[in-house]
Amino acid sequence: MVLEANSEFSKKQQEKLINQQIRMDKELASKSKVAELTFDINANQFSIPSYEGGDYAPHNVTISPNIPDHIKLIFSTLNRANYLVFVDNKGTITHKKQAHSTYKIFIDFMCSEPFEKKDRIKILKKFETHRVNIDKVKPQSSGLHAIKSMIKLAIEDEWFKEQLSEAQYAYLFTLSKTKPAPSSERDQINLAAWFAQHTWLRRDDVGIGHTLFSRLASPKATIKSFSVTIEIAMLETLKAKEALIALFLDAPITSDEIPVERPRAQFPVKSEHDVHVRKCFLTTFDVLRAAYHSLGEPSANLKTAIKLFLSENIREDDLKRYDEAFFRNKPAFNSPSIITSRNKLFFSVFFLHELAEYVHSGNKEELQVPASQGEHLLFHWLMATQTVQASDIAKLSGSNFQFIRRRNGKITHIRNEYYKGRAKTVHKPKEISTNTTLGSAILLFILQRTPKYDNSAKLTGSLKDVATGVSFARFINFLNTYLNEKIITQSDKEKSSLVFLKAITKLLDNGISALGKNKTVEELWENCDTPCKRHLFKPSSIKTAAVYASSDNFNPTQLTNFHSHTNKTERNDYLTPNNEEWMNNTGLITRAVMQDLTVNLFKASESEKQAFNSQFTNASEYISAKTEETLARMKLVTGKEDGKVNDLGLLTSYKDADEPSDTIYLVDSPETVVKLRHFLSEVKKKHHILAKNSPEYLLMTVLPTVEWIEKLFEYKRFSTKDKGEQLYKKLASILPPLFSAHMR
């Protein structure tokens, strides 16, 4: 029966029906008998089911009856491992992921490739080679480790071991010891590069257009836009949760009033689970509605909490109806628009029940405030923007943070100090002011997640991969709908663009990650107009972008101190291939400056070579990042009467309402061409003196400026270039000298 908002049933009658259905569900569950699945060692087909917390669809794997015995044996072994993992529940989440991601690929390979008898023992190595050479994956991503792990799990099972002959066991044991190829160097992909892979985002019809897409060339512009969005999202979510806690206390709302959502596994068929979840939502909706409207003036934070609750549980196309029903104090109505999946990031019914249990527990001071999966995700992201190693975020506790307080006890700054696992050192990210959105959000999360008498409790846990699917799309829709004004205001304040929010919105709206008719991910990206990564970027990508965006990642003075007073050239002992490649791609002046740093060097020890290379690499990354950031934000303008023009032709005190807040305006005029040509000429003449007297200024200011100027001329961006060149030839001899203050 569907209960519409204008139904003749009273609220009590609705509640009576819902409670009656809940009792029927419990009675059915208690009487249902679940037959134990038996394992068929000779089966030619088995099913890999979905599992709670995973985003894989169930599928079958099959072999032909007429295949060689050794392939049948391997198939049976993988079937047994699959049974142990999904039926006997003896494996881990990793085993379940491995079954879904590698079984079908490996079994299809076994059945399609002809193997001679002598090659039976090499079957896993041949699979690895096929994946690397044909499928173009890295050795560590070939799936060899997963297949070995599953074979090992099966042959360690006592029942299965008894079914094998000595020869069969020896063969499988040998396969489980197959030595994988060395891992290749991992690509250090940053957040900007992750987005830039989706080149279709440059299009105006399905993407964000050329102007905004060009911002993705700059890690700094991307990470700044990302940080503004996520900081607002985190702070508003935490404040909304605090408003819910206050409501649960004052109303009061207990955990008995918010139903417990039972998992799908407890129901024989999906339709019964859907009915159960919808009833849980309807009950919770009415409990919250009654409590909300009992307040004289509900706070803005509580309203945000309700909006987030509805966004998480109602499909977007029907959200307006439920929103109106709640805030007009009308009963809820049952419909297929109520989302029945447990894959929800924030305020699900399940989470609200957990929150109510916490609120009315007698020992709150000894407990952590519950945090939703989405809060954990945002905390990982925020700490990654502070360059905390991704693998170390889950280890953070309240004891890793120190607070600086005023005399009145108010916390003004947060310090973070933690043991960096990979580097085996203590790392201290920069202090965070609590007067900022970032500081307020992190402080509130720490206070909520740290029990009063136990600051060693972990603030968060390991982070699961988040799919670019509907659950994250609901959150982004919430940001665009309810927090958009706050994000825009903060972006304008911090001179940041909206590239992150706009790019991720278009990616979720128009991106396609499902394989469909394509057999591989590579085929999808080749055949689809708008292919999309299946999972979101990871904290490691955010951290890498944050490092690239920082302005203090090398010491210019140290780089220039590798010179000696001899004329020996040991350039080959210093530059790595990556540094060589970078130098070959720079402009003439930058190349000349960096070349000077690699000549007249003393005979270096290995440690000195490494130190030089480290500084050189960091310097090149900084110069490139600074150049790309400037070019990404730059817009040439003509005929502007308002605003002031500086020494390089940049227009200050000017803003185009149609352009992002971080846009840099350069006047397209002959006078600007003259100024830029003169700047290049002066650097070419004086870079030796600048390197000696002001290395910081040369490497951190002058060279990035030289690079973007040379690229502007290379790309022929000026419509007035010819007139400017002629004017420069006339004026070159009388133009004033530059850099005088930095040459003493």
Side-chain angles (χ1 to χ4, degrees):
M1 177 180 290
V2 177
L3 300 178
E4 299 293 343
N6 58 356
S7 170
E8 61 184 6
F9 286 95
S10 67
K11 181 182 175 185
K12 288 184 178 180
Q13 287 172 313
Q14 287 188 38
E15 289 177 350
K16 184 177 179 181
L17 283 173
I18 291 171
N19 291 331
Q20 185 180 16
Q21 184 64 46
I22 291 172
R23 288 196 300 273
M24 290 169 63
D25 287 344
K26 288 181 179 178
E27 186 177 350
L28 177 64
S30 66
K31 292 181 179 179
S32 297
K33 294 182 179 179
V34 180
E36 184 178 348
L37 291 172
T38 57
F39 175 72
D40 181 3
I41 197 169
N42 297 313
N44 292 325
Q45 175 179 306
F46 63 87
S47 175
I48 305 176
S50 57
Y51 59 94
E52 190 171 348
D55 58 353
Y56 296 98
H59 63 276
N60 296 330
V61 286
T62 308
I63 58 169
S64 166
N66 305 315
I67 57 171
D69 289 342
H70 69 282
I71 292 181
K72 284 183 181 178
L73 175 61
I74 296 173
F75 183 85
S76 181
T77 305
L78 296 179
N79 185 9
R80 182 60 184 174
N82 188 71
Y83 183 89
L84 293 171
V85 169
F86 289 101
V87 179
D88 282 0
N89 210 24
K90 290 184 178 178
T92 64
I93 289 291
T94 300
H95 284 118
K96 293 178 180 179
K97 289 181 180 178
Q98 288 173 340
H100 274 282
S101 61
T102 59
Y103 265 26
K104 193 172 189 322
I105 297 172
F106 175 66
I107 290 168
D108 287 347
F109 166 78
M110 279 200 309
C111 296
S112 62
E113 290 288 320
F115 290 100
E116 296 182 17
K117 194 170 184 179
K118 64 179 182 179
D119 290 333
R120 293 189 316 150
I121 207 71
K122 301 177 184 176
I123 191 167
L124 295 192
K125 284 302 291 182
K126 285 184 172 290
F127 171 65
E128 181 187 48
T129 303
H130 173 87
R131 292 280 287 150
V132 172
N133 293 341
I134 305 301
D135 294 341
K136 304 300 181 185
V137 301
K138 294 186 176 181
Q140 60 266 34
S141 303
S142 67
L144 173 61
H145 175 75
I147 299 300
K148 283 175 54 182
S149 174
M150 287 300 205
I151 291 174
K152 184 179 179 184
L153 181 69
I155 63 176
E156 288 177 351
D157 175 56
E158 289 300 325
W159 181 89
F160 187 67
K161 194 186 297 185
E162 290 175 2
Q163 315 306 311
L164 301 174
S165 67
E166 287 187 15
Q168 288 174 327
Y169 178 82
Y171 174 61
L172 293 172
F173 181 81
T174 304
L175 289 183
S176 72
K177 297 298 180 181
T178 301
K179 189 175 181 180
S183 297
S184 62
E185 187 177 343
R186 293 180 180 272
D187 294 331
Q188 203 172 29
I189 188 168
N190 65 69
L191 181 64
W194 187 89
F195 275 106
Q197 293 175 97
H198 304 83
T199 53
W200 55 268
L201 283 173
R202 188 187 294 275
R203 291 164 51 183
D204 291 318
D205 54 343
V206 292
I208 56 178
H210 173 77
T211 300
L212 267 183
F213 186 82
S214 62
R215 293 296 191 279
L216 297 175
S218 164
K220 186 169 186 177
T222 307
I223 203 71
K224 195 171 184 180
S225 175
F226 171 82
S227 298
V228 167
T229 306
I230 299 308
E231 288 163 15
I232 292 284
M234 181 67 158
L235 182 59
E236 294 302 317
T237 300
L238 293 171
K239 285 158 60 176
K241 185 172 69 174
E242 287 203 324
L244 279 178
I245 290 173
L247 180 69
F248 288 5
L249 276 171
D250 296 340
I253 297 174
T254 67
S255 58
D256 292 336
E257 296 176 79
I258 299 179
V260 180
E261 265 191 15
R262 287 153 47 203
R264 165 70 180 86
Q266 294 185 14
F267 294 83
V269 292
K270 182 179 181 300
S271 58
E272 291 184 13
H273 176 252
D274 290 350
V275 170
H276 163 73
V277 172
R278 286 172 185 149
K279 287 172 181 173
C280 289
F281 169 79
L282 293 171
T283 301
T284 306
F285 180 99
D286 283 337
V287 168
L288 290 176
R289 178 175 59 85
Y292 181 90
H293 288 284
S294 69
L295 302 175
E297 292 185 15
S299 68
N301 290 333
L302 182 56
K303 186 174 182 179
T304 300
I306 299 302
K307 297 278 189 182
L308 187 51
F309 165 70
L310 294 176
S311 294
E312 280 289 275
N313 293 280
I314 301 297
R315 301 191 194 284
E316 185 181 345
D317 55 0
D318 208 16
L319 187 56
K320 186 177 179 181
R321 277 205 308 159
Y322 284 85
D323 188 271
E324 289 178 352
F326 189 97
F327 290 105
R328 291 180 182 178
N329 201 13
K330 294 182 179 180
F333 43 93
N334 198 350
S335 83
S337 295
I338 300 171
I339 297 166
T340 57
S341 165
R342 283 284 290 272
N343 192 18
K344 297 168 185 172
L345 288 174
F346 291 94
F347 295 169
S348 63
V349 172
F350 183 86
F351 175 72
L352 293 188
H353 179 87
E354 184 184 6
L355 194 63
E357 283 186 325
Y358 161 80
V359 168
H360 295 288
S361 62
N363 55 342
K364 284 201 293 291
E365 290 186 343
E366 299 175 13
L367 301 174
Q368 293 177 303
V369 179
S372 63
Q373 184 186 347
E375 291 169 65
H376 287 297
L377 174 70
L378 296 181
F379 179 71
H380 274 258
W381 284 359
L382 286 182
M383 296 314 297
T385 66
Q386 301 307 296
T387 69
V388 176
Q389 187 71 38
S391 57
D392 291 321
I393 297 173
K395 303 172 188 175
L396 295 175
S397 65
S399 61
N400 294 117
F401 294 87
Q402 296 84 43
F403 300 144
I404 300 175
R405 301 175 185 266
R406 290 180 180 159
R407 288 186 177 180
N408 61 6
K410 183 181 178 181
I411 298 171
T412 61
H413 290 81
I414 305 169
R415 285 178 180 165
N416 178 18
E417 182 177 305
Y418 72 97
Y419 182 72
K420 197 171 180 180
R422 281 166 52 180
K424 310 295 183 189
T425 59
V426 174
H427 182 52
K428 297 179 181 179
K430 60 185 178 183
E431 281 184 7
I432 303 170
S433 169
T434 57
N435 200 30
T436 62
T437 307
L438 170 66
S440 300
I442 289 179
L443 177 62
L444 193 50
F445 187 80
I446 294 170
L447 295 178
Q448 288 184 3
R449 297 292 294 166
T450 305
K452 186 173 182 179
Y453 304 110
D454 181 17
N455 69 350
S456 64
K458 296 291 183 283
L459 298 175
T460 185
S462 298
L463 194 63
K464 296 179 181 178
D465 288 346
V466 180
T468 50
V470 291
S471 60
F472 189 71
R474 289 196 294 269
F475 170 60
I476 294 300
N477 179 58
F478 171 77
L479 296 185
N480 279 313
T481 307
Y482 301 115
L483 297 183
N484 198 42
E485 285 188 16
K486 291 186 177 182
I487 293 171
I488 290 174
T489 301
Q490 190 68 14
S491 296
D492 288 342
K493 182 180 177 182
E494 298 193 20
K495 298 294 182 185
S496 169
S497 71
L498 295 172
V499 64
F500 169 72
L501 186 55
K502 289 184 180 294
I504 196 68
T505 300
K506 291 295 185 180
L507 205 67
L508 295 169
D509 286 348
N510 301 320
I512 297 173
S513 59
L515 292 182
K517 295 180 180 179
N518 301 288
K519 293 182 179 179
T520 65
V521 174
E522 290 76 16
E523 284 187 20
L524 170 69
W525 280 73
E526 185 177 337
N527 300 328
C528 180
D529 275 349
T530 58
C532 174
K533 291 287 186 182
R534 185 174 183 180
H535 291 99
L536 286 172
F537 42 84
K538 297 184 178 181
S540 56
S541 297
I542 301 167
K543 186 247 183 182
T544 301
V547 171
Y548 285 173
S550 65
S551 60
D552 55 352
N553 60 347
F554 76 102
N555 184 337
T557 306
Q558 184 178 342
L559 185 59
T560 58
N561 281 343
F562 286 95
H563 286 275
S564 73
H565 298 290
T566 69
N567 289 322
K568 289 184 179 179
T569 300
E570 303 292 344
R571 182 181 178 208
N572 292 335
D573 286 339
Y574 283 85
L575 291 187
T576 65
N578 286 340
N579 288 337
E580 291 269 19
E581 182 182 357
W582 176 80
M583 278 188 61
N584 291 336
N585 289 328
T586 58
L588 291 174
I589 296 175
T590 301
R591 200 176 312 163
V593 174
M594 301 306 281
Q595 174 79 17
D596 282 349
L597 297 179
T598 64
V599 299
N600 295 328
L601 296 165
F602 55 81
K603 188 69 177 177
S605 66
E606 285 302 316
S607 62
E608 288 163 339
K609 292 175 190 176
Q610 291 174 3
F612 176 84
N613 255 314
S614 175
Q615 289 297 319
F616 192 101
T617 299
N618 290 336
S620 65
E621 287 177 353
Y622 171 77
I623 293 168
S624 295
K626 193 77 173 175
T627 303
E628 289 169 357
E629 179 206 349
T630 303
L631 288 171
R633 295 167 55 195
M634 186 168 287
K635 181 179 178 64
L636 266 65
V637 293
T638 57
K640 301 297 179 186
E641 296 181 359
D642 49 343
K644 297 179 180 179
V645 180
N646 71 5
D647 293 341
L648 285 176
L650 296 172
L651 195 61
T652 60
S653 305
Y654 173 78
K655 174 74 171 70
D656 186 337
D658 295 329
E659 294 293 331
S661 300
D662 63 345
T663 302
I664 299 171
Y665 300 95
L666 182 67
V667 179
D668 185 357
S669 69
E671 291 76 17
T672 299
V673 173
V674 170
K675 292 176 181 180
L676 298 183
R677 280 294 183 203
H678 183 52
F679 186 89
L680 295 179
S681 175
E682 288 288 283
V683 176
K684 194 172 183 179
K685 293 176 189 174
K686 301 173 180 177
H687 68 78
H688 297 93
I689 304 172
L690 287 173
K692 182 179 179 181
N693 295 322
S694 295
E696 295 95 336
Y697 177 66
L698 173 66
L699 288 165
M700 302 188 81
T701 302
V702 175
L703 285 191
T705 304
V706 164
E707 279 296 292
W708 67 252
I709 292 174
E710 290 197 325
K711 280 185 167 56
L712 283 179
F713 285 131
E714 179 187 346
Y715 299 157
K716 300 179 180 178
R717 294 280 294 274
F718 289 102
S719 62
T720 56
K721 182 176 179 292
D722 292 340
K723 291 181 180 178
E725 297 282 10
Q726 293 173 9
L727 186 60
Y728 174 67
K729 289 178 182 178
K730 292 180 182 179
L731 301 176
S733 60
I734 60 172
L735 290 173
L738 302 179
F739 314 125
S740 300
H742 297 277
M743 295 172 64
R744 297 168 186 159

